[in-house]
Every structure is written in C-alpha cells, then in structure tokens.
C-alpha cells in the first residue's frame, strides 16, 4: 500500500463549526491568544486558562466530523495513512482515522503542569466529564493543566511527524497556511519527486518543490476532488 501523509490545520475543522485557532486579529474566541495559549498566560492566570479550555471542550462535544474528515479516514481502505494535525480537537479520530499525530496537543486530555509529557499523570476527559475545576491537582501535586502545546513550549511530537513525512509517497496539506512552525517546516522533509496536494481556498506558499497541485477549495469539496484524482492514478 502506498503511504499517504496528511497535514491538517484549522481549515480542516472550520466546516464543523470550530473557530480557527488564530485569526489575523490575534484573538481566539474573543480572548488574546497569548492570554489563553501561552506558557506565560498559564502562569499568570491558570484559573482563566482552565475555564477557557473547559468551554472549548464543550464546543467540541457539540461538533461533528465533516465530510472532509470522513473522506480522509476513508483513504485507509486503499492506503497506509498517517494524519499529522495542528488541531487539538479529536474530529479525525471520531471520523475513523486510526493513526493521528497531534502536534499541538489534545483538547480532551489534561496533564501535570510540572511534567506535561509524563503519561502517568495524563487524564483523558469524556463528554460526560469534560470540565476541570480550577485548582484541581494532578497526581504529582502540581496543577492539572490542558494537554496543549502553549506558545513558548517545545513540540514533542515533531520528530515522529518528520519521520512519517520522510516516508510519504503522497503528501497532502489541508486547511493550513503553513505559517506556524515547526509544523510548516514538515514540507521540507518530503522526498524529492513526491506529489504534494494542497487543499485550501486561499493561496499557500510552498518553496523548493515544483511537484505541487493546489486545489483551491474548502476541506470537504477539496477532498472530494482529490479522491477523484487519486482514483484515476
């Protein structure tokens, strides 16, 4: 089976009603991004950040995967597929994708604020129990915090993502402007000659690779068109 690696961003989940993480005005759901999604923001006001992510989880629970998510999952019938996502929602998993790498964390997980990568202190929240009371402690006695890669923190899953990208026979980019690093740098690890497909209604700049086809549509319409292209190959 050919290996497809798909990099997805906020545009992937926009059709499911989830607002993009960061717009040009620097706000996320009316909050300054640095206030609710940075290491400094967490240190300054963990109660505000905890409440903010409780609300994001409530929105996610009300959301459903869109056709784009389902078409991505459907590729597994004919291909070895890895999804690398910048999104913190679990809509890819809900749609049926079995191998998803979350670069920026997972909204439905919480962790120790002292050692975010210690899986012993990870907790996975559910639709019936998604709220974290401010001040709740993790097993190591530190505050329980969202398992989100805040600005100013390292991206622990970037190395596995690079490894998958280097093995891709087909590389697909959906709904990301390729402006946020290190995720945007993944395209540089695609092997020369590998076809790259970009699905985004806006222009996306990719340098150093001429084997690119840009489908200027949203996630669902673009995936429909791409599925047709792949069937003809």
């Amino acid at each position: 089976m050919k290996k497809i690696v798909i990099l997805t961003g906020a545009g992937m989940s926009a059709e499911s009603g989830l607002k993009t993480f960061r717009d040009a005005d620097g706000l996320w759901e009316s909050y300054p991004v640095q206030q609710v999604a940075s290491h400094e923001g967490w240190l300054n006001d963990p109660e505000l950040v905890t409440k903010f992510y409780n609300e994001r989880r409530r929105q996610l629970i009300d959301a459903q995967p869109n056709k784009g998510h389902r078409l991505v999952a459907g590729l597994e019938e004919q291909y070895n597929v890895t999804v690398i996502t910048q999104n913190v929602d679990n809509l890819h998993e809900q749609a049926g994708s079995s191998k998803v790498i979350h670069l920026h964390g997972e909204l439905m997980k919480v962790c120790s604020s002292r050692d975010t990568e210690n899986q012993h202190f990870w907790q996975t929240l559910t639709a019936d129990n998604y709220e974290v009371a401010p001040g709740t402690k993790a097993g190591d006695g530190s505050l329980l915090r969202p398992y989100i890669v805040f600005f100013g923190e390292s991206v622990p899953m970037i190395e596995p993502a690079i490894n998958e990208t280097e093995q891709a026979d087909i590389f697909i980019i959906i709904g990301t402007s390729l402006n946020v690093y290190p995720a945007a740098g993944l395209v540089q690890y695609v092997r020369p000659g590998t076809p790259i497909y970009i699905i985004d209604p806006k222009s996306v700049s990719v340098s150093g690779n001429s084997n690119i086809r840009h489908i200027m549509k949203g996630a669902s319409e673009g995936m429909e068109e791409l599925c047709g292209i792949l069937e003809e190959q």
Side-chain angles (χ1 to χ4, degrees):
M1 297 176 79
K2 283 189 174 182
K3 183 176 185 64
I4 291 181
V5 177
I6 305 172
L7 173 64
T8 68
M12 185 82 233
S13 296
E15 294 175 30
S16 294
L18 297 181
K19 288 191 177 180
T20 55
F21 172 77
R22 179 174 55 177
D23 291 317
D25 56 9
L27 301 179
W28 186 14
E29 295 287 356
S30 302
Y31 286 86
V33 169
Q34 290 295 328
Q35 190 176 27
V36 295
S38 72
H39 187 70
E40 292 74 19
W42 165 257
L43 293 177
N44 288 337
D45 197 342
E47 181 173 343
L48 171 68
V49 175
T50 297
K51 289 179 177 178
F52 177 82
Y53 286 94
N54 282 340
E55 180 60 22
R56 302 289 73 71
R57 292 186 201 100
R58 189 194 63 75
Q59 288 184 347
L60 174 56
I61 288 164
D62 291 337
Q64 297 292 326
N66 59 57
K67 189 172 186 179
H69 289 109
R70 294 192 295 273
L71 288 172
V72 165
L75 291 175
E76 293 190 17
E77 295 175 10
Q78 294 177 285
Y79 299 92
N80 174 8
V81 180
T82 297
V83 176
I84 303 169
T85 186
Q86 297 169 263
N87 300 334
V88 296
D89 62 63
N90 61 2
L91 296 179
H92 279 298
E93 288 91 340
Q94 287 191 45
S97 289
S98 62
K99 188 173 184 181
V100 183
I101 295 173
H102 285 270
L103 289 178
H104 296 158
E106 300 178 57
L107 186 55
M108 295 303 289
K109 282 184 180 178
V110 287
C111 62
S112 157
S113 55
R114 182 178 300 139
D115 186 3
T116 58
E117 292 308 305
N118 189 332
Q119 297 186 25
H120 183 71
F121 301 118
W122 285 359
Q123 296 179 34
T124 299
L125 305 176
T126 65
D128 296 328
N129 184 27
Y130 66 87
E131 289 200 25
V132 175
T136 302
K137 301 288 182 66
D140 63 355
S142 69
L143 283 178
L144 202 59
R145 58 159 270 186
Y147 184 62
I148 300 292
V149 177
F150 292 145
F151 287 104
E153 296 179 336
S154 62
V155 180
M157 294 306 293
I158 192 63
E159 289 300 328
I162 289 171
N163 182 58
E164 293 292 325
T165 300
E166 290 175 332
Q167 300 176 52
D169 297 308
I170 300 170
F171 193 73
I172 302 169
I173 301 165
I174 308 173
T176 175
S177 61
L178 295 181
N179 287 329
V180 177
Y181 285 83
L186 286 173
V187 71
Q188 305 302 323
Y189 292 92
V190 178
R191 290 177 297 185
T194 301
I196 297 175
Y197 296 92
I198 298 174
I199 298 173
D200 199 292
K202 301 176 182 177
S203 61
V204 177
S205 176
V206 178
S207 60
N209 196 310
S210 59
N211 201 19
I212 295 173
R213 181 165 176 176
H214 190 169
I215 300 171
M216 298 191 76
K217 296 180 177 179
S220 294
E221 276 191 280
M223 272 304 299
E224 280 188 289
E225 182 171 328
L226 179 55
C227 287
I229 293 169
L230 295 176
E231 286 176 6
E232 294 172 0
Q233 294 181 357

